[in-house]
Amino acid sequence: MTSSRPYLVRALYDWIVDNDCTPHILVHADHPGVQVPSGYASDGQIVLNVSPGAVRHLDISNEAVSFEGRFGGVAHNLYVPSAAILAIYARENGQGMVFEIEPTPPDDGASGDDASASKPKPAPAAGRPSLKVVK
């Protein structure tokens, strides 16, 4: 089954914008495939303002969020795979959604089902889920 994350990101983005708020996404900057300007991430994470007035050519697809944004007055093309999005929320009131970290797919080049069948699936993490306040 495909991930629900890109669908939820699109829906929450529309909801935030429709309510005249500023949508921000929290991104795992060290995730494979993430293209964000270097030097702007802190602790492996970066918060991006994706409001219609702050970005150009915004595309929220099932694979990634991509757009052109300005950092220090310089335009950059950003690319954020859906799995690297940790949260989407409204800057004004913090309402939105935090997502679980998805495991990074192995990059060993194995494409057959035999390789995945021989590897055991990891057990779900035990314990209580936790949330972090992002400002």
Side-chain angles (χ1 to χ4, degrees), residues 54-117:
V55 301
R56 294 181 58 180
H57 311 297
L58 178 66
D59 180 34
I60 304 174
S61 71
N62 288 350
E63 291 74 36
V65 174
S66 60
F67 58 93
E68 182 182 303
R70 297 183 75 81
F71 289 80
V74 178
H76 294 272
N77 289 317
L78 288 85
Y79 184 85
V80 179
S82 294
I85 298 173
L86 301 175
I88 180 168
Y89 62 94
R91 177 182 67 198
E92 291 78 5
N93 58 20
Q95 290 189 6
M97 183 175 284
V98 177
F99 301 103
E100 293 182 8
I101 296 175
E102 290 185 358
T104 306
D107 194 22
D108 59 3
S111 60
D113 290 334
D114 297 336
S116 62

Short mmCIF file of all heavy atoms in Angstrom, two decimals, residues 54-117:
data_model
loop_
_atom_site.label_atom_id
_atom_site.label_comp_id
_atom_site.label_asym_id
_atom_site.label_seq_id
_atom_site.Cartn_x
_atom_site.Cartn_y
_atom_site.Cartn_z
N ALA A 54 5.70 32.73 -0.73
CA ALA A 54 7.12 32.53 -0.42
C ALA A 54 7.83 31.61 -1.42
O ALA A 54 9.05 31.59 -1.45
CB ALA A 54 7.26 31.93 0.98
N VAL A 55 7.07 30.85 -2.20
CA VAL A 55 7.68 29.89 -3.12
C VAL A 55 7.12 30.06 -4.51
O VAL A 55 6.06 30.67 -4.71
CB VAL A 55 7.48 28.43 -2.65
CG1 VAL A 55 8.07 28.21 -1.28
CG2 VAL A 55 6.01 28.04 -2.66
N ARG A 56 7.83 29.50 -5.48
CA ARG A 56 7.35 29.45 -6.87
C ARG A 56 7.37 28.01 -7.34
O ARG A 56 8.22 27.23 -6.92
CB ARG A 56 8.27 30.29 -7.76
CG ARG A 56 8.21 31.78 -7.41
CD ARG A 56 9.10 32.57 -8.30
NE ARG A 56 8.68 32.35 -9.69
CZ ARG A 56 9.25 32.91 -10.74
NH1 ARG A 56 10.29 33.70 -10.58
NH2 ARG A 56 8.82 32.66 -11.95
N HIS A 57 6.45 27.69 -8.22
CA HIS A 57 6.39 26.37 -8.87
C HIS A 57 6.26 25.24 -7.85
O HIS A 57 6.90 24.20 -7.99
CB HIS A 57 7.61 26.13 -9.76
CG HIS A 57 7.91 27.26 -10.69
ND1 HIS A 57 7.05 27.66 -11.68
CD2 HIS A 57 8.97 28.10 -10.76
CE1 HIS A 57 7.57 28.68 -12.33
NE2 HIS A 57 8.73 28.98 -11.78
N LEU A 58 5.42 25.42 -6.84
CA LEU A 58 5.21 24.39 -5.82
C LEU A 58 4.51 23.18 -6.44
O LEU A 58 3.49 23.31 -7.11
CB LEU A 58 4.38 24.94 -4.66
CG LEU A 58 4.05 23.94 -3.55
CD1 LEU A 58 5.32 23.50 -2.83
CD2 LEU A 58 3.06 24.55 -2.57
N ASP A 59 5.08 22.00 -6.21
CA ASP A 59 4.50 20.75 -6.68
C ASP A 59 4.54 19.76 -5.52
O ASP A 59 5.62 19.38 -5.06
CB ASP A 59 5.27 20.20 -7.88
CG ASP A 59 4.69 18.89 -8.39
OD1 ASP A 59 3.46 18.70 -8.33
OD2 ASP A 59 5.48 18.04 -8.84
N ILE A 60 3.37 19.37 -5.04
CA ILE A 60 3.27 18.39 -3.96
C ILE A 60 2.77 17.10 -4.60
O ILE A 60 1.57 16.89 -4.76
CB ILE A 60 2.34 18.86 -2.83
CG1 ILE A 60 2.78 20.22 -2.29
CG2 ILE A 60 2.33 17.83 -1.70
CD1 ILE A 60 1.84 20.82 -1.27
N SER A 61 3.69 16.25 -5.01
CA SER A 61 3.34 14.99 -5.67
C SER A 61 3.41 13.85 -4.66
O SER A 61 3.78 14.03 -3.51
CB SER A 61 4.29 14.72 -6.84
OG SER A 61 5.57 14.37 -6.36
N ASN A 62 3.10 12.65 -5.11
CA ASN A 62 3.19 11.48 -4.23
C ASN A 62 4.64 11.13 -3.90
O ASN A 62 4.90 10.50 -2.89
CB ASN A 62 2.51 10.28 -4.87
CG ASN A 62 1.01 10.41 -4.87
OD1 ASN A 62 0.45 11.31 -4.24
ND2 ASN A 62 0.34 9.54 -5.59
N GLU A 63 5.58 11.55 -4.72
CA GLU A 63 6.98 11.23 -4.50
C GLU A 63 7.70 12.28 -3.67
O GLU A 63 8.57 11.95 -2.87
CB GLU A 63 7.73 11.06 -5.82
CG GLU A 63 7.33 9.84 -6.61
CD GLU A 63 5.96 10.00 -7.28
OE1 GLU A 63 5.65 11.13 -7.72
OE2 GLU A 63 5.21 9.02 -7.33
N ALA A 64 7.38 13.57 -3.89
CA ALA A 64 8.16 14.63 -3.24
C ALA A 64 7.43 15.96 -3.30
O ALA A 64 6.47 16.14 -4.04
CB ALA A 64 9.51 14.77 -3.93
N VAL A 65 7.95 16.89 -2.51
CA VAL A 65 7.54 18.29 -2.58
C VAL A 65 8.71 19.03 -3.23
O VAL A 65 9.85 18.91 -2.77
CB VAL A 65 7.25 18.88 -1.18
CG1 VAL A 65 6.99 20.37 -1.26
CG2 VAL A 65 6.09 18.15 -0.53
N SER A 66 8.43 19.75 -4.31
CA SER A 66 9.51 20.49 -4.97
C SER A 66 9.02 21.91 -5.25
O SER A 66 7.83 22.13 -5.48
CB SER A 66 9.94 19.80 -6.27
OG SER A 66 8.85 19.72 -7.17
N PHE A 67 9.94 22.85 -5.18
CA PHE A 67 9.60 24.25 -5.41
C PHE A 67 10.88 25.07 -5.50
O PHE A 67 11.98 24.58 -5.25
CB PHE A 67 8.71 24.80 -4.29
CG PHE A 67 9.30 24.70 -2.91
CD1 PHE A 67 10.03 25.75 -2.37
CD2 PHE A 67 9.12 23.56 -2.16
CE1 PHE A 67 10.57 25.66 -1.10
CE2 PHE A 67 9.65 23.46 -0.88
CZ PHE A 67 10.38 24.52 -0.35
N GLU A 68 10.71 26.34 -5.88
CA GLU A 68 11.81 27.28 -5.90
C GLU A 68 11.59 28.24 -4.74
O GLU A 68 10.52 28.82 -4.57
CB GLU A 68 11.82 28.07 -7.21
CG GLU A 68 12.96 29.05 -7.33
CD GLU A 68 12.89 29.84 -8.63
OE1 GLU A 68 12.88 29.20 -9.70
OE2 GLU A 68 12.84 31.08 -8.56
N GLY A 69 12.62 28.37 -3.90
CA GLY A 69 12.54 29.27 -2.75
C GLY A 69 13.78 30.13 -2.66
O GLY A 69 14.81 29.83 -3.28
N ARG A 70 13.69 31.19 -1.89
CA ARG A 70 14.81 32.12 -1.75
C ARG A 70 15.41 32.00 -0.35
O ARG A 70 14.69 31.99 0.64
CB ARG A 70 14.35 33.54 -2.02
CG ARG A 70 13.84 33.70 -3.45
CD ARG A 70 13.44 35.11 -3.78
NE ARG A 70 14.58 35.99 -3.98
CZ ARG A 70 15.29 36.07 -5.11
NH1 ARG A 70 14.99 35.30 -6.11
NH2 ARG A 70 16.29 36.91 -5.21
N PHE A 71 16.73 31.93 -0.32
CA PHE A 71 17.48 31.89 0.93
C PHE A 71 18.55 32.95 0.83
O PHE A 71 19.39 32.91 -0.07
CB PHE A 71 18.13 30.52 1.14
CG PHE A 71 17.13 29.44 1.47
CD1 PHE A 71 16.39 28.83 0.48
CD2 PHE A 71 16.93 29.06 2.78
CE1 PHE A 71 15.47 27.85 0.77
CE2 PHE A 71 16.00 28.08 3.09
CZ PHE A 71 15.27 27.48 2.09
N GLY A 72 18.51 33.93 1.72
CA GLY A 72 19.47 35.02 1.66
C GLY A 72 19.39 35.79 0.36
O GLY A 72 20.41 36.29 -0.13
N GLY A 73 18.20 35.87 -0.23
CA GLY A 73 18.01 36.60 -1.47
C GLY A 73 18.41 35.84 -2.72
O GLY A 73 18.31 36.35 -3.82
N VAL A 74 18.85 34.60 -2.55
CA VAL A 74 19.28 33.78 -3.70
C VAL A 74 18.27 32.67 -3.92
O VAL A 74 17.90 31.94 -2.99
CB VAL A 74 20.69 33.17 -3.44
CG1 VAL A 74 21.12 32.29 -4.60
CG2 VAL A 74 21.71 34.27 -3.17
N ALA A 75 17.81 32.51 -5.17
CA ALA A 75 16.83 31.48 -5.51
C ALA A 75 17.50 30.10 -5.53
O ALA A 75 18.61 29.94 -6.03
CB ALA A 75 16.20 31.77 -6.86
N HIS A 76 16.81 29.12 -4.96
CA HIS A 76 17.28 27.73 -4.93
C HIS A 76 16.12 26.83 -5.33
O HIS A 76 14.97 27.10 -4.98
CB HIS A 76 17.73 27.33 -3.52
CG HIS A 76 18.95 28.04 -3.03
ND1 HIS A 76 20.22 27.59 -3.27
CD2 HIS A 76 19.08 29.18 -2.31
CE1 HIS A 76 21.08 28.41 -2.71
NE2 HIS A 76 20.41 29.39 -2.12
N ASN A 77 16.43 25.75 -6.03
CA ASN A 77 15.45 24.70 -6.31
C ASN A 77 15.54 23.68 -5.19
O ASN A 77 16.61 23.13 -4.94
CB ASN A 77 15.71 24.04 -7.66
CG ASN A 77 15.38 24.97 -8.81
OD1 ASN A 77 14.36 25.65 -8.78
ND2 ASN A 77 16.24 25.01 -9.80
N LEU A 78 14.43 23.43 -4.52
CA LEU A 78 14.39 22.50 -3.40
C LEU A 78 13.61 21.26 -3.79
O LEU A 78 12.62 21.35 -4.53
CB LEU A 78 13.75 23.16 -2.18
CG LEU A 78 14.63 24.20 -1.50
CD1 LEU A 78 14.47 25.55 -2.15
CD2 LEU A 78 14.31 24.28 -0.04
N TYR A 79 14.04 20.13 -3.26
CA TYR A 79 13.39 18.85 -3.53
C TYR A 79 13.38 18.07 -2.22
O TYR A 79 14.43 17.84 -1.62
CB TYR A 79 14.16 18.07 -4.60
CG TYR A 79 13.50 16.78 -5.00
CD1 TYR A 79 12.51 16.75 -5.97
CD2 TYR A 79 13.87 15.57 -4.40
CE1 TYR A 79 11.90 15.56 -6.34
CE2 TYR A 79 13.27 14.38 -4.75
CZ TYR A 79 12.29 14.38 -5.73
OH TYR A 79 11.68 13.20 -6.09
N VAL A 80 12.18 17.71 -1.76
CA VAL A 80 12.03 17.01 -0.49
C VAL A 80 11.20 15.76 -0.72
O VAL A 80 9.98 15.85 -0.95
CB VAL A 80 11.34 17.91 0.56
CG1 VAL A 80 11.17 17.16 1.86
CG2 VAL A 80 12.11 19.21 0.76
N PRO A 81 11.82 14.57 -0.69
CA PRO A 81 11.04 13.33 -0.81
C PRO A 81 9.99 13.27 0.30
O PRO A 81 10.21 13.75 1.42
CB PRO A 81 12.09 12.23 -0.62
CG PRO A 81 13.39 12.87 -0.97
CD PRO A 81 13.25 14.30 -0.54
N SER A 82 8.85 12.71 -0.01
CA SER A 82 7.75 12.65 0.95
C SER A 82 8.17 12.02 2.27
O SER A 82 7.74 12.46 3.34
CB SER A 82 6.57 11.87 0.36
OG SER A 82 6.03 12.57 -0.73
N ALA A 83 9.01 11.00 2.22
CA ALA A 83 9.44 10.32 3.45
C ALA A 83 10.27 11.22 4.35
O ALA A 83 10.42 10.95 5.54
CB ALA A 83 10.23 9.07 3.09
N ALA A 84 10.84 12.31 3.81
CA ALA A 84 11.67 13.22 4.60
C ALA A 84 10.86 14.30 5.30
O ALA A 84 11.40 15.05 6.10
CB ALA A 84 12.72 13.86 3.71
N ILE A 85 9.56 14.38 5.03
CA ILE A 85 8.72 15.38 5.68
C ILE A 85 8.33 14.85 7.06
O ILE A 85 7.70 13.81 7.19
CB ILE A 85 7.47 15.70 4.84
CG1 ILE A 85 7.88 16.29 3.50
CG2 ILE A 85 6.54 16.66 5.60
CD1 ILE A 85 6.75 16.48 2.53
N LEU A 86 8.75 15.59 8.09
CA LEU A 86 8.47 15.18 9.46
C LEU A 86 7.19 15.81 10.01
O LEU A 86 6.58 15.26 10.92
CB LEU A 86 9.65 15.55 10.36
CG LEU A 86 11.00 14.93 9.97
CD1 LEU A 86 12.10 15.48 10.86
CD2 LEU A 86 10.92 13.42 10.06
N ALA A 87 6.81 16.98 9.48
CA ALA A 87 5.60 17.65 9.97
C ALA A 87 5.18 18.72 8.98
O ALA A 87 6.00 19.23 8.22
CB ALA A 87 5.84 18.28 11.33
N ILE A 88 3.90 19.06 9.01
CA ILE A 88 3.37 20.24 8.32
C ILE A 88 2.45 20.92 9.31
O ILE A 88 1.65 20.27 9.99
CB ILE A 88 2.64 19.90 6.99
CG1 ILE A 88 2.13 21.19 6.34
CG2 ILE A 88 1.56 18.87 7.19
CD1 ILE A 88 1.66 21.02 4.91
N TYR A 89 2.60 22.25 9.43
CA TYR A 89 1.83 22.97 10.44
C TYR A 89 1.69 24.43 10.04
O TYR A 89 2.42 24.93 9.19
CB TYR A 89 2.49 22.85 11.81
CG TYR A 89 3.87 23.46 11.87
CD1 TYR A 89 4.07 24.77 12.29
CD2 TYR A 89 4.98 22.71 11.50
CE1 TYR A 89 5.33 25.33 12.32
CE2 TYR A 89 6.25 23.26 11.53
CZ TYR A 89 6.41 24.57 11.96
OH TYR A 89 7.68 25.12 11.98
N ALA A 90 0.74 25.11 10.68
CA ALA A 90 0.53 26.54 10.47
C ALA A 90 1.43 27.31 11.42
O ALA A 90 1.45 27.04 12.62
CB ALA A 90 -0.93 26.90 10.72
N ARG A 91 2.19 28.26 10.89
CA ARG A 91 3.11 29.04 11.71
C ARG A 91 2.36 29.80 12.81
O ARG A 91 2.84 29.91 13.95
CB ARG A 91 3.89 30.02 10.85
CG ARG A 91 4.83 30.92 11.67
CD ARG A 91 5.55 31.92 10.84
NE ARG A 91 4.59 32.89 10.30
CZ ARG A 91 4.84 33.70 9.28
NH1 ARG A 91 6.00 33.65 8.66
NH2 ARG A 91 3.94 34.54 8.86
N GLU A 92 1.19 30.31 12.50
CA GLU A 92 0.48 31.18 13.42
C GLU A 92 -0.02 30.49 14.68
O GLU A 92 -0.05 31.09 15.75
CB GLU A 92 -0.72 31.84 12.71
CG GLU A 92 -0.32 32.85 11.65
CD GLU A 92 0.14 32.24 10.33
OE1 GLU A 92 0.08 30.99 10.16
OE2 GLU A 92 0.55 33.00 9.46
N ASN A 93 -0.44 29.23 14.56
CA ASN A 93 -1.03 28.57 15.72
C ASN A 93 -0.47 27.16 15.99
O ASN A 93 -0.89 26.50 16.93
CB ASN A 93 -2.56 28.50 15.60
CG ASN A 93 -3.00 27.79 14.34
OD1 ASN A 93 -2.26 27.04 13.73
ND2 ASN A 93 -4.24 28.04 13.94
N GLY A 94 0.42 26.69 15.13
CA GLY A 94 1.04 25.38 15.33
C GLY A 94 0.16 24.20 14.97
O GLY A 94 0.58 23.06 15.13
N GLN A 95 -1.05 24.45 14.47
CA GLN A 95 -1.92 23.33 14.13
C GLN A 95 -1.43 22.64 12.87
O GLN A 95 -1.02 23.30 11.92
CB GLN A 95 -3.36 23.82 13.94
CG GLN A 95 -4.00 24.25 15.24
CD GLN A 95 -5.48 24.53 15.06
OE1 GLN A 95 -6.06 24.30 14.00
NE2 GLN A 95 -6.11 25.02 16.12
N GLY A 96 -1.46 21.33 12.88
CA GLY A 96 -1.00 20.56 11.74
C GLY A 96 -0.82 19.11 12.15
O GLY A 96 -1.56 18.60 12.98
N MET A 97 0.20 18.47 11.60
CA MET A 97 0.42 17.05 11.86
C MET A 97 1.91 16.73 11.87
O MET A 97 2.67 17.23 11.04
CB MET A 97 -0.28 16.22 10.79
CG MET A 97 -0.17 14.72 10.98
SD MET A 97 -1.13 13.80 9.76
CE MET A 97 -2.77 14.03 10.40
N VAL A 98 2.29 15.87 12.82
CA VAL A 98 3.65 15.36 12.91
C VAL A 98 3.60 13.92 12.41
O VAL A 98 2.69 13.17 12.74
CB VAL A 98 4.17 15.41 14.36
CG1 VAL A 98 5.55 14.80 14.46
CG2 VAL A 98 4.19 16.84 14.86
N PHE A 99 4.59 13.53 11.60
CA PHE A 99 4.63 12.19 11.03
C PHE A 99 5.75 11.38 11.69
O PHE A 99 6.74 11.93 12.15
CB PHE A 99 4.90 12.25 9.52
CG PHE A 99 3.86 13.02 8.77
CD1 PHE A 99 4.11 14.31 8.34
CD2 PHE A 99 2.62 12.47 8.49
CE1 PHE A 99 3.16 15.03 7.64
CE2 PHE A 99 1.66 13.18 7.80
CZ PHE A 99 1.93 14.47 7.37
N GLU A 100 5.58 10.06 11.67
CA GLU A 100 6.63 9.17 12.13
C GLU A 100 7.74 9.14 11.09
O GLU A 100 7.50 9.33 9.90
CB GLU A 100 6.08 7.76 12.33
CG GLU A 100 5.09 7.63 13.45
CD GLU A 100 4.62 6.20 13.63
OE1 GLU A 100 5.17 5.29 12.97
OE2 GLU A 100 3.69 6.00 14.42
N ILE A 101 8.94 8.87 11.54
CA ILE A 101 10.07 8.75 10.62
C ILE A 101 9.94 7.42 9.90
O ILE A 101 9.78 6.37 10.51
CB ILE A 101 11.41 8.81 11.37
CG1 ILE A 101 11.57 10.18 12.01
CG2 ILE A 101 12.57 8.50 10.44
CD1 ILE A 101 12.80 10.31 12.89
N GLU A 102 9.96 7.49 8.55
CA GLU A 102 9.89 6.27 7.75
C GLU A 102 11.28 5.71 7.59
O GLU A 102 12.25 6.47 7.43
CB GLU A 102 9.29 6.57 6.37
CG GLU A 102 7.83 6.91 6.42
CD GLU A 102 7.22 7.09 5.05
OE1 GLU A 102 7.94 6.99 4.03
OE2 GLU A 102 6.00 7.33 4.98
N PRO A 103 11.43 4.39 7.62
CA PRO A 103 12.76 3.82 7.42
C PRO A 103 13.28 4.13 6.03
O PRO A 103 12.52 4.17 5.06
CB PRO A 103 12.54 2.31 7.62
CG PRO A 103 11.08 2.10 7.44
CD PRO A 103 10.39 3.39 7.79
N THR A 104 14.58 4.35 5.94
CA THR A 104 15.23 4.62 4.66
C THR A 104 15.35 3.32 3.89
O THR A 104 15.82 2.32 4.42
CB THR A 104 16.62 5.22 4.88
OG1 THR A 104 16.48 6.35 5.72
CG2 THR A 104 17.27 5.63 3.58
N PRO A 105 14.92 3.30 2.62
CA PRO A 105 15.03 2.07 1.84
C PRO A 105 16.49 1.72 1.60
O PRO A 105 17.32 2.61 1.43
CB PRO A 105 14.31 2.39 0.53
CG PRO A 105 14.32 3.88 0.44
CD PRO A 105 14.35 4.39 1.85
N PRO A 106 16.82 0.42 1.59
CA PRO A 106 18.21 0.04 1.35
C PRO A 106 18.63 0.42 -0.07
O PRO A 106 17.85 0.35 -1.00
CB PRO A 106 18.21 -1.48 1.54
CG PRO A 106 16.79 -1.90 1.34
CD PRO A 106 15.94 -0.72 1.75
N ASP A 107 19.87 0.82 -0.22
CA ASP A 107 20.40 1.24 -1.51
C ASP A 107 21.45 0.24 -2.01
O ASP A 107 22.51 0.61 -2.46
CB ASP A 107 21.01 2.65 -1.39
CG ASP A 107 21.26 3.29 -2.75
OD1 ASP A 107 20.61 2.86 -3.71
OD2 ASP A 107 22.11 4.18 -2.82
N ASP A 108 21.10 -1.05 -1.88
CA ASP A 108 22.06 -2.08 -2.25
C ASP A 108 21.88 -2.57 -3.68
O ASP A 108 22.58 -3.47 -4.12
CB ASP A 108 21.98 -3.26 -1.27
CG ASP A 108 20.60 -3.89 -1.24
OD1 ASP A 108 19.70 -3.47 -2.00
OD2 ASP A 108 20.41 -4.82 -0.46
N GLY A 109 20.91 -2.02 -4.40
CA GLY A 109 20.73 -2.37 -5.81
C GLY A 109 19.92 -3.64 -6.01
O GLY A 109 19.68 -4.03 -7.13
N ALA A 110 19.53 -4.31 -4.95
CA ALA A 110 18.73 -5.53 -5.09
C ALA A 110 17.32 -5.14 -5.49
O ALA A 110 16.68 -4.33 -4.82
CB ALA A 110 18.72 -6.31 -3.78
N SER A 111 16.83 -5.72 -6.58
CA SER A 111 15.49 -5.36 -7.04
C SER A 111 14.52 -6.53 -7.01
O SER A 111 13.35 -6.35 -7.23
CB SER A 111 15.55 -4.79 -8.46
OG SER A 111 16.10 -5.76 -9.33
N GLY A 112 15.00 -7.72 -6.74
CA GLY A 112 14.13 -8.88 -6.74
C GLY A 112 13.44 -9.07 -5.41
O GLY A 112 13.85 -8.56 -4.39
N ASP A 113 12.37 -9.87 -5.44
CA ASP A 113 11.65 -10.16 -4.22
C ASP A 113 12.42 -11.13 -3.34
O ASP A 113 12.18 -11.22 -2.14
CB ASP A 113 10.27 -10.76 -4.54
CG ASP A 113 9.34 -9.72 -5.15
OD1 ASP A 113 9.54 -8.52 -4.85
OD2 ASP A 113 8.43 -10.11 -5.91
N ASP A 114 13.36 -11.90 -3.93
CA ASP A 114 14.14 -12.86 -3.15
C ASP A 114 14.97 -12.16 -2.09
O ASP A 114 15.11 -12.64 -0.98
CB ASP A 114 15.07 -13.68 -4.06
CG ASP A 114 14.27 -14.52 -5.04
OD1 ASP A 114 13.09 -14.84 -4.75
OD2 ASP A 114 14.83 -14.86 -6.10
N ALA A 115 15.53 -11.00 -2.41
CA ALA A 115 16.37 -10.28 -1.47
C ALA A 115 15.55 -9.77 -0.29
O ALA A 115 15.98 -9.84 0.85
CB ALA A 115 17.08 -9.11 -2.15
N SER A 116 14.34 -9.28 -0.56
CA SER A 116 13.53 -8.75 0.53
C SER A 116 12.88 -9.86 1.35
O SER A 116 12.59 -9.68 2.52
CB SER A 116 12.47 -7.80 0.00
OG SER A 116 11.59 -8.49 -0.87
N ALA A 117 12.65 -11.02 0.73
CA ALA A 117 12.02 -12.12 1.44
C ALA A 117 12.96 -12.73 2.47
O ALA A 117 12.52 -13.24 3.49
CB ALA A 117 11.57 -13.19 0.46
#
